[in-house]
Amino acid sequence: MSYQTATSSVERGRAGESAVFGKINRRILPLLLICYTFAYLDRVNIGYAKLHMQEDIPHLTEAVFGVGAGLFFLAYASLEVPSNLLMNRIGARKTITRIMVLWGFTSASMMFVTNETTFYVLRIMLGIFEAGFAPGIILYLTYWYPAKRMASVMGIYMLAGPIGAILGSAGSAMIIAATDDLGGLSGWQWMFLIQGLPCVLLGLLFWKLMVDKPSQAPWLSDPEKQIVQQHLEKTREQQHTSSFLVALRSPAVYVMSMAYFGIMCGIYAVSFWLPTILLENGVTDFFSNGMLSALPYVLTIPVMILLTRSSDLRAERTWHSIIPALFAAAGLIVAALFADTFLVSFIALNVAVAGVWGAYTVFWAVPAQHFGGTAAAGGIAMINTVGILGGFVAPTIMGLVKDSTGSTQNGLLTMVVLLLISIVALALLPRQMNREVTAQKGEHR
């Protein structure tokens, strides 16, 4: 075979591969993106509703809000591993449909909050019913995509975060302004109803439109299914851990968890408290506050896309997550130290949001590279379980600091410390993963 013939054959193979995964992108990513957008929206819209709920419910102090917002994550974290292991057995359609329908009704029920108790109970229920969604979707994506494509895929799927934040701030502001006192209900009550019930419909759409794995997809031809299978097999050959019990004993799981924990603290500290930080800086008009709260996430979207494409193109994950995390830490420091200078503080918060979301997106390409089989199901859920506790720690710390000092400044600096710990963990991770690979190779000799 001549060089030109061989080259032409390779190019045709790459073109065929790109066409197949392009088709998969078009068939599954849009619905997953919409589902995760509402999942993220239902987590963070409480941050904007808070400003209005406290006017109607005086007992919802800053500390009560911080604890209640965080209780969602404690309930969520406690059930993530069982949910993902169950999904690995019964499939994504049953799991994701069940999650979305139940959380949709519960999220809409937040309109009935009247005191601390109902606030706590509904936040806990929301955490229970949504448990397993985010790691479940990440696991689901590993059934369809090889590891080498995961950063770009995550870059599309996780656009749901900034999109959800935009809808949670700008969208919530518009809903509340348009519906306040409509039918005797406050605007924040309408907001929970309007943003919660679509999740029920999305859950039913997931059941109708999605399949559990590529071999079941009627829209893929047999040759296309074979191409997908071949690439997934290559990923499995490169994965180092396939047993959940082995994954639990892997130090790399806990290094990843620590890295993810700090990143999540940064994300949720800003997500929950950005409207309050803007309020401290004189943005007292609720509608203007919502519009400004959305701006950092608009700027984050192109950063995520460019960063994840660069990560896949260079097959590099470590620096593509460390560098944006460093920018996020620097942004939070500047925002805290220049809290009295609105323009400087707000620009710094924009940098922090873009940086922490960029690090978050690239990070999730790493577990898919390292784990397969039940290790992927349990390992991804375990990492998410430890990391998602940042969603409890961050708002709780911010709430307590705000109540005790009257400012969010020291709370932001605490988040910087947690982000720096995350950066150290990200730097240590490649060495730890290589050490485990070497040890496993030695055991197999």
Side-chain angles (χ1 to χ4, degrees), residues 64-87:
V64 168
F65 168 79
V67 173
L71 282 173
F72 164 90
F73 294 98
L74 287 180
Y76 186 105
S78 66
L79 294 171
E80 281 201 288
V81 172
S83 178
N84 243 32
L85 291 175
L86 180 63
M87 175 177 146

Side-chain angles (χ1 to χ4, degrees), residues 31 34-36 38 92-105 133 196-210:
L31 182 57
I34 295 170
C35 289
Y36 191 35
F38 276 90
R93 288 176 70 235
K94 292 179 181 178
T95 303
I96 301 302
T97 298
R98 179 257 304 166
I99 288 173
M100 295 200 69
V101 170
L102 291 176
W103 114 50
F105 282 123
F133 177 81
L197 288 183
C199 300
V200 178
L201 176 60
L202 287 169
L204 298 176
L205 282 175
F206 193 97
W207 176 264
K208 182 174 179 60
L209 299 178
M210 305 297 272

Side-chain angles (χ1 to χ4, degrees), residues 331 334-351:
V334 173
L337 296 181
F338 291 87
D340 295 333
T341 308
F342 173 73
L343 184 60
V344 174
S345 179
F346 186 63
I347 291 173
L349 284 172
N350 277 262
V351 172

Side-chain angles (χ1 to χ4, degrees), residues 266 269-270 327-337 348-349 352 412-413 415-416 419:
V270 178
F327 271 96
L332 290 179
I333 291 172
V334 173
L337 296 181
L349 284 172
L412 288 177
L413 292 175
M415 296 305 111
V416 170
L419 258 179

Side-chain angles (χ1 to χ4, degrees), residues 415-430:
M415 296 305 111
V416 170
V417 174
L418 295 173
L419 258 179
L420 291 175
I421 293 172
S422 175
I423 290 166
V424 171
L426 288 169
L428 294 174
L429 185 56

